[in-house]
């Protein structure tokens, strides 16, 4: 059922625009947006659908305020921590209803850099040991401790 739902979303919602020139002007500044979570990629990235300029579109969202281990990490311990972080974020994000995100702009990959004001994900993920504080720039060697 979930795969059929995702296939329908991919068919009806155009893919996110990647070129910075193609990004609408309103996405380059902070705004509030009602969205629905479609999938979670890792501990700090997920996909939403939102009505933008009258059209349903998919957007990648990067959680602001923290960094979590990468699924494409270099060693198996990091990959295990990344899977645990992804599963924890999945548990925190509702997929059965819409939420309002505060989008602070775009990251360097064109993803929305956002926070969920109703439930601060950065505080929850860091407290659970699935993330470290991060506000952009060069990443340090610090990694979340194993849960």
């Amino acid at each position: 059922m979930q795969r059929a739902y995702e296939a329908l979303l991919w068919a009806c919602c155009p893919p996110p625009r990647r070129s910075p020139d193609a990004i609408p002007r309103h996405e380059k500044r902070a705004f509030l947006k009602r969205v629905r979570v479609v999938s979670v990629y890792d501990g700090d990235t997920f996909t939403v659908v939102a009505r933008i300029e009258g059209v349903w579109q998919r957007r990648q969202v990067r959680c602001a305020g923290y960094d979590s281990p990468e699924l494409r990490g270099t060693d198996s311990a990091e990959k295990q921590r990344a899977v645990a972080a992804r599963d924890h974020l999945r548990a925190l994000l509702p997929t059965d209803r819409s939420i309002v995100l505060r989008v602070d702009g775009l990251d360097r990959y064109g993803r929305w850099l956002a926070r969920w004001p109703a439930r601060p994900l950065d505080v929850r993920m860091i407290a659970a040991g699935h993330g470290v504080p991060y506000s952009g720039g060069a990443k340090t060697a610090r990694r979340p401790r194993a849960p």
Side-chain angles (χ1 to χ4, degrees), residues 64-112:
Y66 73 97
D67 185 36
S68 66
E70 302 298 327
L71 284 174
R72 296 182 182 180
T74 55
D75 59 14
S76 62
E78 182 178 6
K79 290 178 187 176
Q80 289 174 347
R81 289 193 311 271
V83 169
R86 179 194 64 199
D87 294 343
H88 189 72
L89 185 60
R90 272 188 189 149
L92 292 175
L93 291 170
T95 56
D96 59 341
R97 62 185 171 88
S98 62
I99 61 173
V100 175
L101 293 178
R102 189 185 83 207
V103 181
D104 296 327
L106 301 171
D107 71 356
R108 64 181 173 173
Y109 300 108
R111 301 175 293 189
W112 281 352

Side-chain angles (χ1 to χ4, degrees), residues 14-31 33 50-55 57-59 103-106 110-112:
R17 299 177 210 134
R18 298 288 181 204
S19 167
D21 297 331
I23 297 170
R25 184 179 197 102
H26 72 274
E27 290 187 17
K28 295 179 182 177
R29 61 180 190 275
F31 59 95
K33 191 69 179 170
R51 195 165 182 89
I52 301 169
E53 297 175 354
V55 179
Q57 297 181 17
R58 285 179 288 124
R59 287 288 185 262
V103 181
D104 296 327
L106 301 171
R111 301 175 293 189
W112 281 352

Side-chain angles (χ1 to χ4, degrees), residues 6 9-11 13-18 38 47-50 52 56-60:
E6 288 178 8
L9 284 173
W10 284 98
C13 299
R17 299 177 210 134
R18 298 288 181 204
V38 176
T47 303
V48 298
V49 290
I52 301 169
W56 287 100
Q57 297 181 17
R58 285 179 288 124
R59 287 288 185 262
Q60 297 295 111

